[in-house]
Amino acid sequence: MSLFRKNLIDGEWVGEAGSRNINPSNTGDVVGEYASAGAEQAKQAIAAAKAAFPAWSRSAPLVRHAVLKKASDEIMARKDEIGRALSSEEGKRLSEGIGETIRAAQIFDFFAGETLRLSGELVPSVRPGVGVEITREAVGVVGIITPWNFPIAIPTWKIAPALAHGNTIVFKPAELVPESAWTIVDILHRAGLPKGVLNLVMGKGSVVGQAMLDSPDLNAITFTGSVGTGKRVAAASVEHMRKFQLEMGGKNPMVVLDDADLATAVECAINGAYFSTGQRCTASSRLVVTEGIHDRFVAALKERLEKLVIGDALDTKTQIGPVVDASQLKQDEDYIAIGSQEGANLAFGGERLDRETPGFYLRPALFTESTNAMRISREEIFGPVANVIRVKDYDEALAVANDTPFGLTSGICTSSLKHATHFRRNSEAGMVMVNLPTAGVDFHVPFGGRKGSSYGPREQGRYAAEFYTTVKTAYTFAG
Ligand code: ADP
């Protein structure tokens, strides 16, 4: 395969062939080769973004609108091709790859609209003859560091609001998914962004990412990834007194009460825990189930798990694609071993599968008879692995659901208005779902969590303005 993609620095495509991108459904298939930036190129990208900031931050809203709208239109027109490339490099099944691509188009469309709705406030001062104008201004150069599990949606929900609000960008995607990152940068570049406004620096986190953290010239960093790297982003950002935003792990509970509709609960669990191969920070990894429905729920879930088609992400019959790479597969298998050692019952799956092509195939795993104290209940696994925790009643379910260092999403399946309402109000999570999977969120409303899951303002929708702008309060005395 001959595809070779370069980095974009100051409007120029630069770089030598660096790393190869492997298809997790078929490790013999190389998706492409990608330039790998070093620390020096990261510095050049930051300098270019800094130089581009004054003009871009003062550009007319219609200029920004045009770029974002054009990007949205092209992504939508090419959704099948882009979605297919996404599934080739990440391994989520084709319909999910295309769905995520459509979502990226919708996000660009939303933020194109936002450029036309920018507004401020005019407030009378307490002093006579003085007016107070409150406006939002761009923050400056924003560093964007993203993970591999949503290769288009996450970069888009950071890039689109950053551009809409007049910031310039240095974007470092995850090493495993450069094709999706390159594609959106290419589209935005051709849509007419001035040079330096958006810079792409593909490369190693420990090199390029670290150079970004160490730079005094990044005014803000938005990061999605692991807790460990998130803490480094936080420490470096405090050192440089810059704004930062973190989206990290989850250990999301899905509560199933005795009065739940069984079919709904099973579908929520299958979708929430196993779709996208469980590689979602919003995945329902803890299934907290009350005694009266426990055995029926487990039996129905196992029956449904038996029917899942696990295979090549690009095969339209596939429901669960492969795990993203060898190290993530090892992590999943290690946790499956840990669960058994801790005394949980491996009720279904957990073994590697052979398919026509060599890939990282794993049968979704379900543990029962687990407790909330076990490591499989406390640590994020990030794979197709979930465990059932049996509880007495709603009160215990709520307590178990909240007993976690994380707080991204939570869910409850019940037909009781009282319990659904109480759970919505008392769940310690940023996003709460009633009779819906804990994963799968809209593109136009706030996304984010609490406790160890997130730090800083929410992402997406109108709430994104909080991070990508800074407020100015201006006083004018007019006599
Ligand atoms: P994951 O385990 O999901 O890959 P990481 O936190 O390692 O999560 O990666 C998320 C993003 O952070 C990736 O783009 C990765 O390259 C980047 N990254 C990793 N290490 C560092 C670092 N030291 N500094 C900045 N970014 C990093």
Side-chain angles (χ1 to χ4, degrees), residues 200-216:
L200 173 69
V201 281
M202 299 178 285
K204 286 206 170 80
S206 56
V207 178
V208 183
Q210 194 61 46
M212 290 167 68
L213 303 196
D214 295 340
S215 170

PDB file of all heavy atoms in Angstrom, residues 200-216:
ATOM      1  N   LEU A 200      -1.153  20.159  12.252  1.00  0.00           N
ATOM      2  CA  LEU A 200      -1.254  18.737  12.615  1.00  0.00           C
ATOM      3  C   LEU A 200       0.138  18.213  12.929  1.00  0.00           C
ATOM      4  O   LEU A 200       1.050  18.327  12.090  1.00  0.00           O
ATOM      5  CB  LEU A 200      -1.850  17.945  11.444  1.00  0.00           C
ATOM      6  CG  LEU A 200      -1.870  16.422  11.598  1.00  0.00           C
ATOM      7  CD1 LEU A 200      -2.863  15.981  12.679  1.00  0.00           C
ATOM      8  CD2 LEU A 200      -2.215  15.746  10.264  1.00  0.00           C
ATOM      9  N   VAL A 201       0.305  17.653  14.129  1.00  0.00           N
ATOM     10  CA  VAL A 201       1.599  17.052  14.482  1.00  0.00           C
ATOM     11  C   VAL A 201       1.382  15.615  14.947  1.00  0.00           C
ATOM     12  O   VAL A 201       1.244  15.331  16.132  1.00  0.00           O
ATOM     13  CB  VAL A 201       2.361  17.881  15.561  1.00  0.00           C
ATOM     14  CG1 VAL A 201       3.046  19.080  14.927  1.00  0.00           C
ATOM     15  CG2 VAL A 201       1.447  18.323  16.686  1.00  0.00           C
ATOM     16  N   MET A 202       1.348  14.706  13.970  1.00  0.00           N
ATOM     17  CA  MET A 202       1.241  13.290  14.312  1.00  0.00           C
ATOM     18  C   MET A 202       2.583  12.854  14.866  1.00  0.00           C
ATOM     19  O   MET A 202       3.635  13.322  14.408  1.00  0.00           O
ATOM     20  CB  MET A 202       0.923  12.475  13.053  1.00  0.00           C
ATOM     21  CG  MET A 202      -0.382  12.876  12.406  1.00  0.00           C
ATOM     22  SD  MET A 202      -0.718  11.950  10.890  1.00  0.00           S
ATOM     23  CE  MET A 202       0.404  12.678   9.702  1.00  0.00           C
ATOM     24  N   GLY A 203       2.557  11.963  15.832  1.00  0.00           N
ATOM     25  CA  GLY A 203       3.813  11.487  16.409  1.00  0.00           C
ATOM     26  C   GLY A 203       3.573  10.904  17.786  1.00  0.00           C
ATOM     27  O   GLY A 203       2.426  10.739  18.216  1.00  0.00           O
ATOM     28  N   LYS A 204       4.670  10.603  18.460  1.00  0.00           N
ATOM     29  CA  LYS A 204       4.571   9.939  19.771  1.00  0.00           C
ATOM     30  C   LYS A 204       4.100  10.903  20.861  1.00  0.00           C
ATOM     31  O   LYS A 204       4.554  12.043  20.935  1.00  0.00           O
ATOM     32  CB  LYS A 204       5.944   9.418  20.171  1.00  0.00           C
ATOM     33  CG  LYS A 204       6.399   8.195  19.418  1.00  0.00           C
ATOM     34  CD  LYS A 204       7.400   7.434  20.301  1.00  0.00           C
ATOM     35  CE  LYS A 204       7.724   6.075  19.733  1.00  0.00           C
ATOM     36  NZ  LYS A 204       8.703   6.127  18.653  1.00  0.00           N
ATOM     37  N   GLY A 205       3.266  10.391  21.755  1.00  0.00           N
ATOM     38  CA  GLY A 205       2.816  11.203  22.878  1.00  0.00           C
ATOM     39  C   GLY A 205       3.968  11.656  23.742  1.00  0.00           C
ATOM     40  O   GLY A 205       4.033  12.814  24.160  1.00  0.00           O
ATOM     41  N   SER A 206       4.897  10.749  23.977  1.00  0.00           N
ATOM     42  CA  SER A 206       6.022  11.067  24.869  1.00  0.00           C
ATOM     43  C   SER A 206       6.957  12.108  24.260  1.00  0.00           C
ATOM     44  O   SER A 206       7.731  12.740  24.974  1.00  0.00           O
ATOM     45  CB  SER A 206       6.802   9.792  25.182  1.00  0.00           C
ATOM     46  OG  SER A 206       7.210   9.193  23.967  1.00  0.00           O
ATOM     47  N   VAL A 207       6.874  12.311  22.944  1.00  0.00           N
ATOM     48  CA  VAL A 207       7.752  13.282  22.279  1.00  0.00           C
ATOM     49  C   VAL A 207       6.956  14.549  21.909  1.00  0.00           C
ATOM     50  O   VAL A 207       7.178  15.622  22.455  1.00  0.00           O
ATOM     51  CB  VAL A 207       8.386  12.655  21.006  1.00  0.00           C
ATOM     52  CG1 VAL A 207       9.254  13.675  20.292  1.00  0.00           C
ATOM     53  CG2 VAL A 207       9.172  11.407  21.365  1.00  0.00           C
ATOM     54  N   VAL A 208       6.012  14.386  20.971  1.00  0.00           N
ATOM     55  CA  VAL A 208       5.255  15.544  20.479  1.00  0.00           C
ATOM     56  C   VAL A 208       4.312  16.079  21.555  1.00  0.00           C
ATOM     57  O   VAL A 208       4.235  17.289  21.800  1.00  0.00           O
ATOM     58  CB  VAL A 208       4.416  15.147  19.243  1.00  0.00           C
ATOM     59  CG1 VAL A 208       3.690  16.347  18.684  1.00  0.00           C
ATOM     60  CG2 VAL A 208       5.268  14.522  18.195  1.00  0.00           C
ATOM     61  N   GLY A 209       3.597  15.139  22.196  1.00  0.00           N
ATOM     62  CA  GLY A 209       2.658  15.547  23.244  1.00  0.00           C
ATOM     63  C   GLY A 209       3.406  16.246  24.371  1.00  0.00           C
ATOM     64  O   GLY A 209       2.998  17.315  24.840  1.00  0.00           O
ATOM     65  N   GLN A 210       4.514  15.641  24.765  1.00  0.00           N
ATOM     66  CA  GLN A 210       5.289  16.212  25.873  1.00  0.00           C
ATOM     67  C   GLN A 210       5.827  17.594  25.494  1.00  0.00           C
ATOM     68  O   GLN A 210       5.815  18.518  26.329  1.00  0.00           O
ATOM     69  CB  GLN A 210       6.441  15.262  26.245  1.00  0.00           C
ATOM     70  CG  GLN A 210       7.102  15.586  27.570  1.00  0.00           C
ATOM     71  CD  GLN A 210       6.149  15.497  28.767  1.00  0.00           C
ATOM     72  OE1 GLN A 210       5.386  14.550  28.899  1.00  0.00           O
ATOM     73  NE2 GLN A 210       6.190  16.518  29.632  1.00  0.00           N
ATOM     74  N   ALA A 211       6.265  17.763  24.246  1.00  0.00           N
ATOM     75  CA  ALA A 211       6.754  19.082  23.807  1.00  0.00           C
ATOM     76  C   ALA A 211       5.639  20.115  23.898  1.00  0.00           C
ATOM     77  O   ALA A 211       5.885  21.285  24.223  1.00  0.00           O
ATOM     78  CB  ALA A 211       7.288  18.989  22.377  1.00  0.00           C
ATOM     79  N   MET A 212       4.419  19.690  23.633  1.00  0.00           N
ATOM     80  CA  MET A 212       3.283  20.618  23.766  1.00  0.00           C
ATOM     81  C   MET A 212       3.076  20.989  25.232  1.00  0.00           C
ATOM     82  O   MET A 212       2.909  22.161  25.566  1.00  0.00           O
ATOM     83  CB  MET A 212       2.011  19.982  23.183  1.00  0.00           C
ATOM     84  CG  MET A 212       2.051  19.862  21.665  1.00  0.00           C
ATOM     85  SD  MET A 212       0.749  18.794  20.998  1.00  0.00           S
ATOM     86  CE  MET A 212      -0.727  19.750  21.339  1.00  0.00           C
ATOM     87  N   LEU A 213       3.113  19.979  26.098  1.00  0.00           N
ATOM     88  CA  LEU A 213       2.898  20.267  27.533  1.00  0.00           C
ATOM     89  C   LEU A 213       3.958  21.228  28.045  1.00  0.00           C
ATOM     90  O   LEU A 213       3.682  22.079  28.892  1.00  0.00           O
ATOM     91  CB  LEU A 213       2.963  18.985  28.373  1.00  0.00           C
ATOM     92  CG  LEU A 213       2.021  17.831  28.062  1.00  0.00           C
ATOM     93  CD1 LEU A 213       1.978  16.856  29.226  1.00  0.00           C
ATOM     94  CD2 LEU A 213       0.639  18.293  27.726  1.00  0.00           C
ATOM     95  N   ASP A 214       5.198  21.085  27.543  1.00  0.00           N
ATOM     96  CA  ASP A 214       6.315  21.879  28.054  1.00  0.00           C
ATOM     97  C   ASP A 214       6.393  23.275  27.450  1.00  0.00           C
ATOM     98  O   ASP A 214       7.235  24.073  27.853  1.00  0.00           O
ATOM     99  CB  ASP A 214       7.639  21.137  27.786  1.00  0.00           C
ATOM    100  CG  ASP A 214       7.725  19.831  28.574  1.00  0.00           C
ATOM    101  OD1 ASP A 214       6.988  19.698  29.567  1.00  0.00           O
ATOM    102  OD2 ASP A 214       8.512  18.950  28.180  1.00  0.00           O
ATOM    103  N   SER A 215       5.548  23.567  26.479  1.00  0.00           N
ATOM    104  CA  SER A 215       5.656  24.863  25.804  1.00  0.00           C
ATOM    105  C   SER A 215       4.969  25.981  26.597  1.00  0.00           C
ATOM    106  O   SER A 215       3.819  25.841  27.014  1.00  0.00           O
ATOM    107  CB  SER A 215       5.010  24.787  24.416  1.00  0.00           C
ATOM    108  OG  SER A 215       4.920  26.086  23.869  1.00  0.00           O
ATOM    109  N   PRO A 216       5.655  27.117  26.751  1.00  0.00           N
ATOM    110  CA  PRO A 216       5.010  28.251  27.410  1.00  0.00           C
ATOM    111  C   PRO A 216       4.034  28.973  26.478  1.00  0.00           C
ATOM    112  O   PRO A 216       3.299  29.858  26.912  1.00  0.00           O
ATOM    113  CB  PRO A 216       6.193  29.166  27.766  1.00  0.00           C
ATOM    114  CG  PRO A 216       7.258  28.812  26.781  1.00  0.00           C
ATOM    115  CD  PRO A 216       7.050  27.375  26.398  1.00  0.00           C
TER     116      PRO A 216
END
